Amino acid sequence: MSSKQSKNQNNRVPVTGNQPLMSCKSKTTESRSFWRAGDYAVGNTKSVTPQGQLEHARVHPKFLHSNATSHKWAFGAIAELLDNAVDEIRSGATYVQVDTIYNAKDDSPALLFQDNGGGMDPDCMRQCMSLGYSSKMANTTIGQYGNGFKTSTMRLGADVIVFSRATRGSRVTQSIGLLSYTFLRKTGQDDVIVPMVDFEVTGRQTKPIICGSHADWSDNLKLILEWSPFASEEELMQQFDDIEAHGTKIIIYNLWLSDDGILELDFNKDEEDICLKDEVVVTGKGSRESHRLLESHISYQLRFSLRAYASILYFRKFTNFQIILRGKPVQQYIVAEDLKFPQVVMYKPKLGLASHEISVETTIGFVKEAPLLKVSGINIYHKNRLIRPFWKAYHEGSSRGTGVVGVLEANFIEPAHDKQDFERSALYIRLETRIKQMIMEYWTGNCHKIGFQSTIPEIRSMQKELRAGEVPTGSKAGHHKLPTEQPITGVSAGSSIEEESLDGFDSTTIEQICEENIQLFMKCKNHKEKENDLKNTVGKLEKQLEEAKRKCSQLASHIEIRKKHLLAKQQEREKI
């Protein structure tokens, strides 16, 4: 879509030559499944360029669909719209509301996104509806390509209507724009046309903003009323009632269906959430308890629950901003605050001679439920936004790295257009290599803390000592005894490459063994520290004793000299 306007097509983006809009519906096959929605035939059309005007590249409506296929995941599309609202924090936004409403014309569900950001004036609305235009140049903003609104809305539904109120100085405007794939398909358009109308607000009065002719403005309004969920101008204007002094409301309707003919998004499973239908059941090895733990963990839930995904979507906690999902605020989940035995590792990427040297802080640790919960991976953010959740950058053939989770913000590499992955550049490959090293180094130095056999000789030695001793005295048959053979999970002491899987153990036994191992290791460590303290104390006392002996010897010598002196004086007196 081009943002260029012509006077004879005032509020439509872009100009479609001299061809009139087709009012009759074309005889095309229409699919409500997103992945088949681009398969429709259109008749031959020919646009004539008005004299005196240059040719311009038109955008066929099918491009709206093919462009939206960059989002393989519906939640990725929703995240784009959340990003737009988060970027509005700099304009005063304090919330974004995500909810379900119903299309009054056919009672079908629709998605609502509403924020109280700066809003869009007529020019901004046209830029928003144009492909590739972006005014976001700040280093702190998430959006940058000028394509997210179109790809995300068209990925979620066939049609979207936008209401926005903006205040620029003393001027208050209200704009309405309609991007309707249904309209473009059913009327056989060969160019993308976006009907828009604008109003100026003075007090409680609104009046149309006419740039071309009143007839053009009326035609745009007529198209909006025909193809939107609202049947009258009064209903349209009512949509501004709950928008504050400035803000934007986006309604996506005619939501896409799966190939099975059901909505991709599930609004019924949880009245405070929006879920995906294709949830995968946890199967495979492991106890029922380990499966239950996995199903309750954020790494699993974020794939099917929008509330879970939105909770982890941003790196830093908001101070004065909320994501409100179906009437309930989303509680942010900060990965770094929920780790066991956390450590901070610094990484300095090689950005090239022309770039300033930077340091990237990575927080790494074990998940709280380790080793029962076999979740691992690094969460990588870009400009505060989650790009890769729980990225497993290491070989999964062994238990090395089990339970290790980390988080870092990698602003030095560029994300892909759908913001679900990174461009595979040299910087990315080097980061991947470094992350593998971080995970293995952390695992090697800390795996014994969650009950695995350590590869460090000193620690392994202590583990052997713990395996061999400390059986409680007076233990009777039937009472719990500390295992004497192998309380440390893992392979025999002779191996330093692979650790044994925990799947063969009962979950309760594993928990007890791991807890005992940790307690014993910490007890041993405390005893070692006390032993060192005692040795230091003994050393100090020995020095003090030597000093006291020396002083005592000096004093004895001094007394002996004094005695001799007094005795000599006494003998002299007796002679006299």
Side-chain angles (χ1 to χ4, degrees):
M1 288 170 287
S2 168
S3 61
K4 182 179 178 180
Q5 304 295 303
S6 77
K7 290 184 179 180
N8 65 336
Q9 297 235 345
N10 168 36
N11 288 310
R12 297 171 192 157
V13 182
V15 178
T16 317
N18 288 334
Q19 294 295 318
L21 294 176
M22 297 174 62
S23 58
C24 60
K25 296 182 180 180
S26 62
K27 297 179 180 179
T28 60
T29 302
E30 180 182 358
S31 174
R32 287 295 310 281
S33 167
F34 173 72
W35 297 106
R36 298 177 182 175
D39 298 333
Y40 73 95
V42 293
N44 294 326
T45 57
K46 183 178 180 181
S47 297
V48 179
T49 303
Q51 289 185 354
Q53 293 188 17
L54 296 175
E55 290 279 359
H56 70 277
R58 292 179 298 162
V59 178
H60 195 279
K62 281 191 175 185
F63 179 74
L64 290 177
H65 176 264
S66 60
N67 190 40
T69 59
S70 62
H71 285 294
K72 303 296 186 293
W73 193 40
F75 282 178
I78 291 175
E80 286 275 9
L81 297 173
L82 294 178
D83 291 344
N84 288 344
V86 170
D87 282 342
E88 284 298 302
I89 292 175
R90 69 188 192 281
S91 299
T94 59
Y95 72 85
V96 58
Q97 176 186 358
V98 184
D99 213 334
T100 55
I101 59 174
Y102 287 89
N103 185 339
K105 286 184 178 178
D106 60 10
D107 205 34
S108 63
L111 265 177
L112 167 72
F113 294 81
Q114 184 171 341
D115 67 65
N116 63 341
M120 294 182 284
D121 61 19
D123 288 339
C124 288
M125 178 70 82
R126 280 149 185 77
Q127 292 165 1
C128 171
M129 295 292 188
S130 300
L131 283 169
Y133 182 92
S134 176
S135 60
K136 299 177 181 179
M137 300 301 177
N139 291 330
T140 56
T141 56
I142 303 165
Q144 57 181 314
Y145 297 117
N147 201 29
F149 173 80
K150 279 72 64 176
T151 59
S152 57
T153 53
M154 292 294 98
R155 173 61 185 87
L156 297 169
D159 309 293
V160 58
I161 186 168
V162 183
F163 301 86
S164 196
R165 176 181 291 145
T167 302
R168 303 290 187 265
S170 59
R171 191 186 190 211
V172 180
T173 59
Q174 295 179 168
S175 298
I176 304 172
L178 177 71
L179 180 58
S180 173
Y181 192 54
T182 303
F183 154 64
L184 296 169
R185 285 191 301 178
K186 288 191 173 182
T187 58
Q189 300 301 314
D190 65 348
D191 204 354
V192 175
I193 295 171
V194 182
M196 298 187 197
V197 290
D198 306 295
F199 302 86
E200 188 161 357
V201 182
T202 306
R204 295 185 178 180
Q205 301 295 319
T206 59
K207 63 178 182 179
I209 298 175
I210 308 295
C211 297
S213 68
H214 196 280
D216 289 333
W217 191 94
S218 298
D219 286 345
N220 278 272
L221 178 61
K222 182 179 178 181
L223 285 172
I224 291 172
L225 295 177
E226 181 179 358
W227 296 98
S228 78
F230 309 102
S232 67
E233 183 177 347
E234 182 181 4
E235 288 182 21
L236 280 178
M237 300 308 290
Q238 286 174 354
Q239 295 305 306
F240 289 98
D241 290 349
D242 61 347
I243 297 178
E244 299 175 21
H246 42 75
T248 299
K249 177 188 289 187
I250 299 169
I251 299 173
I252 305 169
Y253 57 103
N254 287 329
L255 301 177
W256 295 117
L257 307 179
S258 68
D259 290 341
D260 298 326
I262 58 177
L263 283 173
E264 279 189 303
L265 301 175
D266 187 347
F267 303 116
N268 300 319
K269 183 177 180 180
D270 187 338
E271 63 181 10
E272 294 180 342
D273 202 354
I274 296 174
C275 301
L276 291 179
K277 295 281 189 180
D278 55 346
E279 184 170 351
V280 176
V281 178
V282 177
T283 58
K285 294 182 179 181
S287 65
R288 185 178 301 174
E289 176 69 11
S290 64
H291 286 178
R292 185 190 65 78
L293 279 173
L294 178 58
E295 289 173 352
S296 65
H297 194 261
I298 187 75
S299 62
Y300 174 82
Q301 291 187 345
L302 65 82
R303 295 179 291 173
F304 313 107
S305 161
L306 180 58
R307 182 169 293 277
Y309 180 56
S311 73
I312 201 174
L313 191 57
Y314 298 102
F315 183 65
R316 287 174 286 276
K317 276 188 177 178
F318 299 122
T319 55
N320 189 32
F321 184 84
Q322 284 187 322
I323 299 172
I324 304 172
L325 178 57
R326 301 191 77 176
K328 181 180 178 181
V330 172
Q331 298 298 318
Q332 283 187 273
Y333 176 82
I334 306 301
V335 177
E337 295 178 357
D338 204 33
L339 298 177
K340 187 162 59 175
F341 310 117
Q343 291 181 5
V344 175
V345 181
M346 302 305 296
Y347 169 58
K348 293 185 177 180
K350 297 178 181 178
L351 302 180
L353 298 176
S355 302
H356 295 291
E357 186 178 273
I358 63 171
S359 293
V360 179
E361 187 178 281
T362 302
T363 304
I364 192 168
F366 287 113
V367 290
K368 290 188 302 185
E369 303 85 353
L372 284 179
L373 181 61
K374 297 185 177 181
V375 167
S376 50
I378 304 295
N379 294 272
I380 306 182
Y381 290 77
H382 177 83
K383 292 184 179 178
N384 198 40
R385 161 74 136 78
L386 180 63
I387 305 297
R388 294 207 66 172
F390 296 95
W391 178 28
K392 295 182 179 180
Y394 58 88
H395 179 60
E396 297 185 32
S398 77
S399 57
R400 289 171 66 83
T402 297
V404 179
V405 169
V407 58
L408 68 93
E409 187 177 28
N411 295 338
F412 58 92
I413 51 178
E414 290 298 322
H417 280 259
D418 65 348
K419 297 189 181 76
Q420 297 299 309
D421 205 343
F422 288 99
E423 299 294 347
R424 195 162 181 81
S425 62
L427 281 171
Y428 173 88
I429 294 170
R430 285 198 291 269
L431 174 63
E432 183 178 26
T433 302
R434 182 67 186 103
I435 284 176
K436 290 178 182 179
Q437 292 174 348
M438 289 181 195
I439 293 173
M440 288 301 100
E441 287 169 2
Y442 179 84
W443 170 262
T444 301
N446 297 275
C447 65
H448 59 279
K449 295 179 182 178
I450 60 168
F452 281 89
Q453 177 72 46
S454 176
T455 60
I456 299 175
E458 293 82 2
I459 297 176
R460 186 189 300 168
S461 212
M462 283 190 287
Q463 289 179 316
K464 286 181 181 179
E465 291 174 8
L466 292 173
R467 280 203 303 272
E470 291 209 27
V471 180
T473 58
S475 297
K476 296 181 180 179
H479 285 230
H480 172 70
K481 294 184 180 181
L482 182 67
T484 57
E485 291 302 318
Q486 194 177 354
I488 305 295
T489 59
V491 296
S492 62
S495 173
S496 62
I497 304 299
E498 299 290 337
E499 280 77 34
E500 205 170 64
S501 171
L502 297 174
D503 289 332
F505 293 92
D506 176 72
S507 61
T508 306
T509 306
I510 292 171
E511 215 166 25
Q512 291 173 348
I513 291 173
C514 292
E515 186 61 30
E516 288 167 358
N517 284 337
I518 293 170
Q519 290 177 3
L520 290 171
F521 179 80
M522 296 307 294
K523 187 187 291 185
C524 182
K525 186 178 178 181
N526 289 335
H527 286 319
K528 290 283 187 184
E529 289 175 355
K530 287 180 181 179
E531 183 182 2
N532 290 333
D533 290 341
L534 288 171
K535 285 180 179 179
N536 292 333
T537 302
V538 169
K540 289 179 181 178
L541 290 173
E542 285 176 346
K543 286 182 180 179
Q544 290 175 4
L545 181 59
E546 289 297 324
E547 182 67 17
K549 285 180 179 180
R550 185 182 63 80
K551 287 182 179 180
C552 185
S553 178
Q554 288 177 348
L555 184 58
S557 177
H558 179 70
I559 291 172
E560 187 64 29
I561 292 170
R562 288 287 297 172
K563 279 182 179 180
K564 288 179 180 180
H565 181 68
L566 290 172
L567 183 59
K569 278 187 176 183
Q570 186 177 357
Q571 288 174 350
E572 286 177 3
R573 284 196 209 102
E574 288 176 354
K575 288 178 181 181
I576 296 170

